[in-house]
Amino acid sequence: PYVNTKDILEKANKEYYAVAAFNINNLEFLQAIVEGGIEKKSPLIIETSEGAMKYAGMGDPLRGASLFVKMVREFADSLDIPIALHLDHGKNFKYIISAIKAGYSSVMIDASDKPLEENIKATKDIVRIAHAAGVSVEAELGKLAGIEDNVSSEESVLVNPDEAKYFVEQTQVDFLAPAIGTSHGAFKFKGEAKLDYDRLKKVKELTNMPLVLHGASSVVQEMVEIAENYGADFGGSKGVPSDILKETVQLGINKVNTDTDLRMAFIAGLREFLHNNSKEFDPRKYMETAKEYVKKVVSDRLELLGSANKA
Ligand SMILES: O=C(COP(=O)(O)O)NO
Ligand SMILES: [Ca+2]
Ligand code: NA
Ligand SMILES: [Zn+2]
């Protein structure tokens, strides 16, 4: 069934596991993610960026949002696993309202690059509208390093746990993304991979609510190697090691945003297939390996996060 993201995350919060939130831009990634969810009998959160809405809608974000709602609902309504659709990194009021209007389960209002009081104001505005429409809301505190869509903040600013408690009380947001040292993309961490567990523990104790980890891809080296065998150049790529990811789940992370890992798996499969099948031009064929590798990465992650058999 098609559900509200909050329902999925409240259960995960109670039982201390996490649910992956997988980004999509097209049909093929959605198909592969759904196959992984069926295989693992796991709840799924599908999420799209504002860029994905624009891309799918060919420049019209409301059309893109409505296309994603229709595609995701078509799968969700016909399956036993709970599936939610979430707007990731909502920064533009028009896009956020378009997602709510189209029927998304939840939206993120990302005003983490603003001073605290501005972040609170922007979040309260969205919470008021979203909750009136039965839509849940995610917000972010602290800043991820690296490029975050159109905002490139060089240094990451880690969450202040006391601020988090105040923020949640003031905004009534449904789930919170505390920055604890991750960054988006395939080149995480300057030196050794390390996250601020202490801050995460404090935020969980002070808020007791579902928490979100952004920039949570592991950058699966098996996929990087396959892609590089067939011409990719991903030198120096690095993600969140699995043991560190598991530790964050033990400490209260319940939604794990995963985009880069699926992109790596897809391009690895596509490069491999195209290299070995010079005569093929049927898109249902030449994206097969790509989808198979995405499904594999999805299934492994659902297992790792503990959401397998939780549908
Ligand atoms: O945070 C993410 C995805 O992060 P990755 O680049 O690590 O997949 N989306 O909001
Ligand atoms: Ca942000
Ligand atoms: Na998000
Ligand atoms: Zn993110």
Side-chain angles (χ1 to χ4, degrees):
Y2 187 62
V3 301
N4 190 312
T5 313
K6 184 168 182 165
D7 300 338
I8 289 181
L9 294 181
E10 288 298 342
K11 187 169 180 292
N13 186 25
K14 266 196 215 75
E15 300 174 26
Y16 262 80
Y17 60 89
V19 179
F22 294 114
N23 289 75
I24 65 165
N25 295 286
N26 63 22
L27 171 66
E28 282 72 19
F29 278 67
L30 177 58
Q31 291 172 318
I33 294 162
V34 168
E35 279 188 21
I38 292 168
E39 182 189 280
K40 292 293 176 181
K41 298 185 179 52
S42 169
L44 292 173
I45 300 169
I46 305 295
E47 62 181 11
T48 70
S49 65
E50 292 183 338
M53 282 168 66
K54 208 168 170 191
Y55 169 78
M58 292 159 53
D60 175 348
L62 180 57
R63 179 163 59 189
S66 147
L67 187 68
F68 284 128
V69 168
K70 290 183 173 101
M71 281 206 300
V72 171
R73 287 210 65 136
E74 204 46 51
F75 284 107
D77 291 346
S78 62
L79 295 169
D80 293 342
I81 55 173
I83 301 179
L85 175 60
H86 174 75
L87 171 65
D88 191 22
H89 288 293
K91 293 189 188 223
N92 179 317
F93 190 72
K94 182 170 162 40
Y95 284 69
I96 297 171
I97 300 305
S98 295
I100 292 170
K101 189 172 175 191
Y104 274 54
S105 311
S106 56
V107 293
M108 177 183 189
I109 161 67
D110 181 358
S112 63
D113 50 331
K114 303 276 187 304
L116 181 67
E117 286 309 323
E118 267 183 70
N119 189 350
I120 288 174
K121 166 96 179 59
T123 304
K124 280 173 83 161
D125 289 349
I126 295 300
V127 165
R128 190 159 171 277
I129 298 164
H131 283 185
V135 172
S136 41
V137 181
E138 173 186 330
E140 181 175 312
L141 273 180
K143 269 190 264 183
L144 277 72
I147 306 292
E148 191 178 299
D149 265 10
N150 40 19
V151 179
S152 77
S153 53
E154 283 320 299
E155 281 312 301
S156 71
V157 175
L158 301 182
V159 65
N160 170 325
D162 296 318
E163 241 180 51
K165 178 172 170 44
Y166 172 70
F167 180 89
V168 165
E169 283 161 359
Q170 293 298 310
T171 61
Q172 296 302 302
V173 73
D174 299 292
F175 31 104
L176 181 71
I180 55 170
T182 56
S183 62
H184 290 120
F187 304 92
K188 302 178 199 295
F189 306 109
K190 285 214 171 47
E192 169 223 359
K194 208 168 74 63
L195 297 181
D196 195 320
Y197 293 146
D198 200 42
R199 284 175 200 262
L200 171 55
K201 240 187 308 209
K202 287 205 179 89
V203 171
K204 193 69 175 184
E205 276 158 16
L206 291 168
T207 64
N208 275 310
M209 67 196 297
L211 299 180
V212 185
L213 187 66
H214 281 252
S217 277
S218 295
V219 184
V220 180
Q221 283 310 307
E222 179 200 355
M223 293 301 170
V224 171
E225 275 150 33
I226 294 172
E228 290 188 324
N229 279 348
Y230 298 105
D233 174 10
F234 297 145
S237 61
K238 178 174 188 164
V240 180
S242 301
D243 56 326
I244 293 184
L245 191 55
K246 278 181 87 149
E247 182 62 21
T248 67
V249 177
Q250 300 306 318
L251 295 175
I253 290 291
N254 305 106
K255 172 174 178 274
V256 173
N257 285 19
T258 309
D259 189 2
T260 296
D261 279 342
L262 304 196
R263 295 179 173 200
M264 286 297 184
F266 194 90
I267 191 61
L270 186 62
R271 283 184 171 278
E272 178 185 304
F273 185 98
L274 294 180
H275 185 270
N276 298 326
N277 299 272
S278 57
K279 294 187 176 1
E280 188 55 69
F281 57 93
D282 178 342
R284 295 165 299 177
K285 293 266 185 354
Y286 65 63
M287 288 193 271
E288 222 165 56
T289 311
K291 285 164 60 172
E292 187 193 309
Y293 286 177
V294 171
K295 179 192 170 188
K296 171 85 173 56
V297 166
V298 164
S299 302
D300 291 349
R301 182 144 281 224
L302 298 176
E303 200 64 56
L304 179 89
L305 298 178
S307 69
N309 299 312
K310 296 284 185 184

